[in-house]
């Protein structure tokens, strides 16, 4: 059998592996030799490897998915992981350059005398005069040495930049350093993106977020320049997070800052944090969390099991499994003149105070024209209520975080009338903690949550400071009047009934979604267990699986209108079934596959269906017409004279890649 053809991305991965082996070997040889006798040889190898890393990084950035000879799942994520690996290798080389540098090259700072500095300046000027007379080859060698010297100058000496960890951080990617609260670190390099290269007391090195560190108190006698820099970093720590997207939303000047300066939005509005996370990829989408999670050995599944006696998915209990109903939001400020609101919505997810623990679920709100500050959910309408408007949700989360709760971000999608620029604003946020200080679940009842301004990482910020600016008096009546003006979110936590509890137990350990589509998720989970646990030849078999439903159902999860169409088609099919047929699980699964393949699969790749675009009324109406016409005239009823139009075929439409799709 001929060997498989390697794609460009796989070739870069192999080159990265080879560079990593060379770097590890160089580090080992340099430390065993003790830096005696062969320092220059090791430095030249460092420069050579740095050039290889830069060349491989440039080659990786030029790659596109179209260059691959065969479909590659999660192409963008794999490409990003390779970039992180190359950055980690580059940081290791920088640290090695510092260790190999002679002591006289690292000496300097405020301890040197002025005479020594003048002598060095004279030597530098004489060296520059001599370099101008050298050949082109000599200039290239000097440039390489200057690069190494400049790199060493950017890295502070060991012991001169010591920081204490103020919050524990667990490394998420290769090259990250896991740290514990109270630990003292030595900072080797400070990067502009907020990730610093640090070394702990055991000698381990890696990247850590600067927002998790503060200046160590024993270093108060450092020079004034470093002290002023640390005070500035400490003042900005409260407005930072461990995500680059959140940092950009707070610190960079964007349309939100312009609108706030113009007075078009209240002072507590921010660029939407959860919207940025959704736009980064599929990590925080439901299509990612419905996939099975592999165990640590990668040979079995951690959260997917099948009961051999009943043939059903084995039910699993989670720490949090509940349903909730969003009722309304009151006194929500609105953008001013010049900004047109396209959508009002709430995004919710599981949250522990520092990071998002689940997918992000979006519910669109409605309001009356004469009262735009009051949002409502689940409006009354004829026919089935779209899942996007359904305020009844479920939440499952198996995290053991003591601060586990539900984060609600109130947001609007807007367009500027003058420039036509679109964007997402956060009108505030609310947090409902699900466990008390003793670890007991909070009671299931109605909650009235105060909406805070800013982002979830900012504290004590009001949505609209003008509401409380003129408030005077501390009496009960004044407090009651002030409380009525503040923005609030009303919701109700409910304990699921027996049937809903049984359905929730069949779902993944962590998932947030609409309660109206839970029966579809259960059927998908059942088919997933049958194909992955029973139909495969062996559990170690990782070949592509021919299953159009498993391959394309995640795309349905991220398009609410298609999910509603599937729900409607399945309800019509169930209405024509007998009661005994509804209890026959094998028959139900066959019926579900047939309904999906007859109605949803052709529609998903129809050329007449435009790509989804959030809060675009024209696109939503076009998609609604195509979906409605397909329900009146199924795709299998088209005549040869008027065949349906489809997108170009791709193998990923038919095959399920277990290794790429699983978590």
């Amino acid at each position: 059998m001929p060997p498989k053809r390697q794609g460009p991305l796989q070739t870069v991965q192999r080159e990265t592996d080879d560079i990593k082996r060379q770097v590890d070997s160089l580090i080992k040889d340099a430390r065993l030799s003790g830096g005696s006798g062969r320092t220059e040889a090791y430095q030249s190898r460092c420069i050579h490897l740095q050039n290889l890393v830069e060349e491989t990084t440039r080659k990786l950035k030029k790659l596109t998915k179209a260059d691959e000879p065969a479909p590659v799942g999660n192409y963008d994520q794999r490409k990003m992981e390779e970039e992180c690996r190359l950055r980690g290798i580059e940081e290791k080389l920088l640290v090695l350059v510092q260790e190999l540098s002679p002591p006289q090259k690292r000496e300097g700072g405020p301890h040197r005398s002025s005479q020594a500095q003048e002598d060095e300046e004279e030597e530098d000027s004489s060296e520059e005069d001599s370099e101008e007379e050298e050949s082109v080859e000599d200039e290239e060698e000097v440039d390489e040495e200057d690069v190494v010297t400049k790199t060493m100058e950017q890295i502070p000496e060991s012991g001169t930049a010591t920081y204490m960890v103020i919050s524990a951080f667990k490394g998420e990617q290769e090259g990250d350093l896991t740290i514990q609260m109270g630990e003292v670190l030595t900072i080797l390099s400070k990067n502009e993106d907020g990730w610093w290269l640090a070394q702990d007391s055991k000698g381990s090195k890696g990247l850590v977020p600067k927002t998790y560190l503060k200046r160590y108190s024993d270093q108060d006698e450092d020079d004034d320049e470093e002290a002023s820099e640390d005070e500035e970093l400490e003042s900005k720590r409260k407005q930072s997070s461990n995500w680059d997207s959140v940092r950009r939303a707070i610190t960079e000047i964007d349309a939100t800052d312009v609108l706030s300066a113009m007075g078009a939005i209240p002072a507590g509005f921010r660029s939407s944090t959860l919207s940025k996370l959704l736009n980064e990829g599929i990590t925080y989408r439901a299509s990612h969390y419905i996939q099975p999670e592999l165990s640590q050995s990668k040979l079995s599944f951690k959260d997917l099991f099948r009961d051999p006696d009943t043939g059903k998915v084995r039910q699993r209990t989670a720490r949090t499994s509940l349903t909730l109903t969003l009722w309304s939001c009151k006194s929500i400020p609105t953008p001013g003149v010049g900004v047109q609101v396209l959508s009002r919505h709430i995004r919710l997810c599981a949250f522990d105070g520092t990071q998002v623990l689940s997918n992000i679920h979006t519910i669109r709100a409605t309001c009356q024209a004469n009262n735009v500050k009051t949002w409502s959910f689940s409006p009354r309408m004829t026919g089935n209520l779209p899942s996007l408007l359904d305020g009844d949700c479920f939440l499952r989360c198996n995290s053991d975080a003591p601060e586990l709760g539900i984060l609600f971000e109130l947001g609007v999608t807007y367009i500027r009338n003058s420039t036509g620029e679109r964007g997402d604003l956060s009108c505030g946020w609310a947090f409902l903690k699900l466990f008390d200080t003793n670890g007991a679940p909070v009671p299931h009842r109605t909650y009235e949550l105060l909406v805070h301004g800013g982002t979830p990482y900012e504290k004590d910020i009001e949505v609209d400071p003008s509401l409380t600016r003129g408030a005077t008096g501390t009496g009960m009546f004044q407090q009651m009047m002030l409380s009525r003006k503040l923005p609030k979110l009303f919701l109700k936590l409910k304990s699921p009934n027996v049937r809903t509890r049984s359905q929730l137990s069949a779902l993944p350990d962590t998932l947030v979604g609409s309660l109206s589509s839970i029966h579809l998720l259960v059927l998908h989970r059942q088919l997933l267990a049958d194909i992955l646990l029973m139909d495969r030849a062996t559990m170690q078999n990782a070949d592509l699986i021919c299953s159009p439903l498993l391959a394309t159902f995640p795309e349905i999860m991220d398009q609410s209108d298609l999910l509603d169409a599937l729900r409607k088609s399945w309800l019509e099919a169930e209405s024509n079934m007998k009661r005994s047929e509804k209890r026959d699980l094998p028959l139900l699964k066959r019926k579900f596959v047939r309904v999906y393949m007859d109605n949803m699969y052709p529609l998903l790749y129809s050329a007449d269906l435009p790509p989804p675009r959030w809060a675009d009324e024209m696109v939503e109406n076009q998609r609604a017409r195509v979906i409605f016409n397909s329900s009146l005239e199924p795709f299998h009823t088209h005549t040869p004279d008027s065949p349906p139009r489809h997108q170009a075929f791709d193998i990923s439409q038919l095959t399920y890649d277990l290794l790429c799709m699983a978590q």
Side-chain angles (χ1 to χ4, degrees), residues 32 60 150 179 259 307 322 402 473 494 620 659:
L32 289 177
L60 178 63
K150 182 178 179 181
I179 52 179
L259 292 174
D307 192 337
L322 53 84
K494 297 186 294 185
E620 291 177 354
L659 297 181

Side-chain angles (χ1 to χ4, degrees), residues 185-202:
L185 303 178
T186 300
I187 303 302
L188 304 176
S189 175
K190 297 181 180 180
N191 301 326
E192 295 180 356
D193 60 357
W195 290 84
W196 292 358
L197 180 63
Q199 179 178 358
D200 58 13
S201 58
K202 299 180 181 179

